[in-house]
């Protein structure tokens, strides 16, 4: 399975571990954030409530003498600040234009206009948390009420007291909470790595077994099965794989048996036909010699029987040759030969040297099976002569340790829909011409002989027109193990006419 994008750079195991750790990290961060928020609110609210309640009590006990005595008020502020809770306050008093402080007046800068405005209008006072210069403060504003009851209620005296409490301790406690959450999350992630690895192993173990089983089946071991463990989805996958593998093994076994039976049938039939065909060929040879003394109708019948008997003999020999390839008993009897001389011998034996142009440089030595090379050249040239157009050209060359044999004709070429099938057995380009002179096995036999040498063969249309077949054979012979057989030697015996192509690929 291929995974596109950046995910393809990681295997399934790292991604599972990363996903597990990501979930653990998100859970830890979320829990720490919620805990931090609740703890921070609790710490600040406790300090705030304590300070506001304490300051309100102090303000309610404070009764200044009027007219306002600045020094007397200052000492009163010192007294209020001394009883501050939960932390020391700096207390300010404002009465009209009079400003009195129990401490550093610079801190009065944290008192906002909004706080002053709310403190003057709210009998119960107000408070505000302010951050200035990176430091947090709790600011409280309380109006001082008179003891004189007007209409049954106290009235503001115009004097407002303010308290400023630095929240250093609370910020320290909050920072400690953050540090604790961070220090607790990191070990938690480290601990989460253990179950992540365990979970990844438990998930990937059946996947690895499935991969090994699929690889084994791809190598031909169709009896491979996976051990089923548990009842989860992976166990269902293993059972499905085993069922599919069993069906595949059964189907392949049936196909192999059918193939073996078909090859044995063709081989047996071919062997059984050889003896009566040999007698028939002998009889037709005698009849051909006496055909001139017979009446015209009888002579035509005799020649027809002789030609069809020859075709049947060629088909039987070709079937026997293909059965040897299928049974893997065909082998090479290699020898070092002159490539140009081997091609000339093939053309001369079949009386084609006057019909074929050659470009055969001398001195190309190649190790091959001379008889099978003769079949390769004869089938390609015969195919060009029968289904292409003259002149036919045979060209030899050598490069990079490879012998190149090119056979080209000047015919119409090979149709595009035919090209992929020119080396198929019994393939004929024109189904209407099924009664051709060949068996449809010529190019298939040629391809098998080329493969036996460890070479390749290609068919294409030449740029200037006509079909072009190119054979590449290693000059040093086939590699070790190529061309060997399980036993026996192929005994291909063909008359001069039986080596031409039977596919009619260029028809």
């Amino acid at each position: 399975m291929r995974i596109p994008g950046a995910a393809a750079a990681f295997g399934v195991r790292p991604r599972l571990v990363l996903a597990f750790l990501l979930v653990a990290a998100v859970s830890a961060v979320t829990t720490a954030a919620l805990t931090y928020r609740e703890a921070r609110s609790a710490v600040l609210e406790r300090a705030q409530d304590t300070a506001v309640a304490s300051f309100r009590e102090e303000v309610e006990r404070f009764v200044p003498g009027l007219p306002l005595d600045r020094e007397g008020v200052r000492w009163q502020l010192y007294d209020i600040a001394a009883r501050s809770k939960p932390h020391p306050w700096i207390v300010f008093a404002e009465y009209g234009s009079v400003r009195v402080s129990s401490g550093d007046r610079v801190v009065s800068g944290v008192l906002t206009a909004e706080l002053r405005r709310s403190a003057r209008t709210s009998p119960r006072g107000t408070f505000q948390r302010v951050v200035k210069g990176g430091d947090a403060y709790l600011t409280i504003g309380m109006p001082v009420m008179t003891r004189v009851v007007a209409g049954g209620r106290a009235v503001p005296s115009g004097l407002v007291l303010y308290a400023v409490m630095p929240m250093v301790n609370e910020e320290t406690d909050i920072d400690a909470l953050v540090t604790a959450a961070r220090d607790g999350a990191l070990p938690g992630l480290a601990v989460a790595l253990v179950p992540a690895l365990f979970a990844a192993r438990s998930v990937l173990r059946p996947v690895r077994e499935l991969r090994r089983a699929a690889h084994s089946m791809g190598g031909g071991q169709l009896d491979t099965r996976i051990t089923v463990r548990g009842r989860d989805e992976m166990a269902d996958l293993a059972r499905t794989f085993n069922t599919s593998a069993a069906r595949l093994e059964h189907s392949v076994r049936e196909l192999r048996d059918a193939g073996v039976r078909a090859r044995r049938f063709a081989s047996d039939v071919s062997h059984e036909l050889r003896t009566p065909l040999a007698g028939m060929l002998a009889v037709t040879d005698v009849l051909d010699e006496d055909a001139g003394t017979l009446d015209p109708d009888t002579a035509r019948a005799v020649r027809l029987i002789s030609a069809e008997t020859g075709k049947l003999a060629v088909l039987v020999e070709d079937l026997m040759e293909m059965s040897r390839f299928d049974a893997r008993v065909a082998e090479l009897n290699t020898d070092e030969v002159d490539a140009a001389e081997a091609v000339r011998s093939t053309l001369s034996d079949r009386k084609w040297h006057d019909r074929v142009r050659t470009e055969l440089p001398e001195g190309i030595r190649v190790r091959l099976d001379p008889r099978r090379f003769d079949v390769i050249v004869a089938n390609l040239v015969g195919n060009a002569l029968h289904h292409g157009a003259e002149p036919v050209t045979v060209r030899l060359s050598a490069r990079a340790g490879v012998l190149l044999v090119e056979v080209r004709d000047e015919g119409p070429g090979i149709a595009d829909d035919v090209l992929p099938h020119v080396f198929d057995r019994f393939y004929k380009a024109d189904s209407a011409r099924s009664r051709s002179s060949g068996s449809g096995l010529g190019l298939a036999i040629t391809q098998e002989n080329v493969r036996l040498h460890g070479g390749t063969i290609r068919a294409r249309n030449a740029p200037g027109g006509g079909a072009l077949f190119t054979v590449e054979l290693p000059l040093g012979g086939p590699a070790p193990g190529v061309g060997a057989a399980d036993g026996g030697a192929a005994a291909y015996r063909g008359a001069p006419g039986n080596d031409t192509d039977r596919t009619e690929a260029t028809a």
Side-chain angles (χ1 to χ4, degrees):
M1 180 178 63
R2 296 186 179 179
I3 305 176
F10 298 95
V12 177
R13 182 188 182 93
R15 282 181 299 185
L16 283 175
V17 173
L18 289 176
F20 199 98
L21 292 179
L22 180 62
V23 172
V26 171
S27 300
V29 170
T30 302
T31 302
L34 293 176
T35 302
Y36 164 76
R37 187 183 68 178
E38 295 300 323
R40 180 178 182 274
S41 297
V43 169
L44 294 179
E45 287 178 3
R46 184 175 65 249
Q48 167 189 299
D49 293 346
T50 301
V52 171
S54 177
F55 188 64
R56 180 177 290 114
E57 291 177 0
E58 297 298 328
V59 171
E60 289 176 354
R61 287 201 299 264
F62 176 64
V63 180
L66 296 177
L68 188 64
D69 180 3
R70 181 183 296 271
E71 288 301 320
V73 172
R74 186 186 305 275
W75 286 107
Q76 289 287 342
L77 296 183
Y78 284 137
D79 185 59
I80 293 175
R83 293 191 296 272
S84 60
K85 296 178 182 179
H87 306 303
W89 304 329
I90 299 175
V91 184
F92 299 88
E94 292 185 358
Y95 184 75
S97 60
V98 178
R99 302 286 185 271
V100 182
S101 172
S102 68
D104 188 359
R105 296 184 61 87
V106 176
V107 181
S108 65
V110 301
L111 299 175
T112 63
E114 179 184 359
L115 179 70
R116 287 188 168 94
R117 187 167 52 253
S118 298
R120 293 190 185 97
T121 59
S122 175
R124 296 289 298 171
T126 186
F127 63 90
Q128 188 178 45
R129 285 199 294 266
V130 180
V131 177
K132 185 174 183 180
D135 296 325
Y137 299 91
L138 175 65
T139 58
I140 308 171
M142 292 286 180
V144 178
M145 308 301 290
T146 63
R147 295 289 185 178
V148 180
V149 177
R153 59 186 179 86
V155 296
S157 64
L159 175 65
V160 181
L161 300 185
Y162 299 95
V164 177
M165 184 180 75
M167 305 191 75
V168 177
N169 294 341
E170 286 74 15
E171 291 297 328
T172 302
D173 293 341
I174 292 172
D175 291 340
L177 288 174
V178 174
T179 303
R182 181 193 62 201
D183 294 343
L186 294 179
L189 290 178
V191 172
L193 182 62
V194 176
L197 293 175
F198 179 78
R201 181 177 179 274
S202 62
V203 171
L204 291 179
R205 180 175 56 198
V207 175
R208 285 194 295 267
E209 291 181 359
L210 180 62
R211 178 182 59 82
R212 285 193 294 267
H215 182 74
S216 179
M217 290 190 66
Q221 299 180 12
L222 300 181
D223 59 344
T224 303
R225 298 295 183 270
I226 301 176
T227 303
V228 180
R229 300 183 181 90
R231 297 182 178 180
D232 56 4
E233 292 80 359
M234 302 307 296
D236 293 339
L237 177 61
R239 280 189 286 269
T240 302
F241 177 86
N242 290 340
T243 302
S244 301
R247 293 175 180 174
L248 178 63
E249 182 183 16
H250 178 71
S251 300
V252 171
R253 186 184 299 114
E254 288 185 341
L255 290 174
R256 286 176 176 172
D257 293 343
V260 170
R261 290 193 298 269
R263 289 192 295 270
R264 184 181 297 116
F265 175 78
S267 179
D268 292 344
V269 169
S270 300
H271 278 288
E272 293 298 327
L273 289 177
R274 291 186 74 186
T275 300
L277 278 174
M280 293 172 64
L281 287 173
V283 172
T284 55
D285 287 342
V286 174
L287 291 177
D288 280 339
E289 294 178 357
D290 297 337
T293 63
L294 302 175
D295 61 88
D297 291 339
T298 304
R300 283 196 299 271
V302 167
R303 293 189 179 95
L304 178 61
I305 292 174
S306 178
E308 293 300 322
T309 303
K311 293 179 183 178
L312 183 59
V314 169
L315 175 60
V316 169
E317 293 295 336
D318 286 350
L319 287 174
M320 291 185 65
E321 182 73 348
M322 292 304 301
S323 67
R324 293 187 187 97
F325 286 119
D326 291 340
R328 301 181 184 275
V329 298
E331 67 177 10
L332 292 176
N333 296 313
T334 60
D335 191 11
E336 186 173 330
V337 301
D338 184 279
E341 183 60 32
V343 173
R344 280 193 290 265
S345 176
T346 298
L347 300 179
S348 177
D349 290 344
R350 291 161 178 78
K351 308 295 188 295
W352 288 340
H353 52 278
D354 294 333
R355 304 173 59 188
V356 177
R357 296 188 305 191
T358 59
E359 297 179 16
L360 310 175
E362 301 294 337
I364 300 179
R365 306 291 295 181
V366 59
R367 189 164 192 84
L368 45 73
D369 186 326
R371 183 184 59 80
R372 294 189 181 277
F373 185 69
D374 174 80
V375 173
I376 293 171
V377 176
N379 279 4
L380 293 179
V381 174
N383 178 72
L385 290 172
H386 280 74
H387 309 301
E390 299 184 29
V392 174
T393 303
V394 179
R395 180 182 297 108
L396 290 182
S397 61
R399 64 184 181 191
V402 174
L403 171 69
L404 273 73
V405 183
E406 296 178 323
V407 179
R408 176 179 176 179
D409 62 61
E410 299 297 332
I414 307 174
D416 292 338
D417 60 333
V418 175
L419 267 175
H421 307 287
V422 293
F423 297 109
D424 293 351
R425 300 178 185 183
F426 299 108
Y427 182 81
K428 297 178 184 290
D430 188 355
S431 59
R433 298 181 59 190
S434 59
R435 286 292 301 155
S436 62
S437 60
S439 65
L441 293 173
L443 284 181
I445 292 175
T446 300
Q447 184 182 50
E448 294 294 342
N449 279 313
V450 171
R451 288 176 176 172
L452 203 60
H453 282 85
T456 60
I457 182 171
R458 299 189 305 274
R460 62 186 179 91
N461 290 314
L468 174 62
F469 287 82
T470 304
V471 176
E472 296 184 7
L473 301 176
L475 288 174
V482 179
D486 298 330
Y492 185 82
R493 297 291 183 265
N498 80 324
D499 295 322
T500 59
D501 176 57
R502 280 75 173 171
T503 64
E504 297 189 3
T506 57

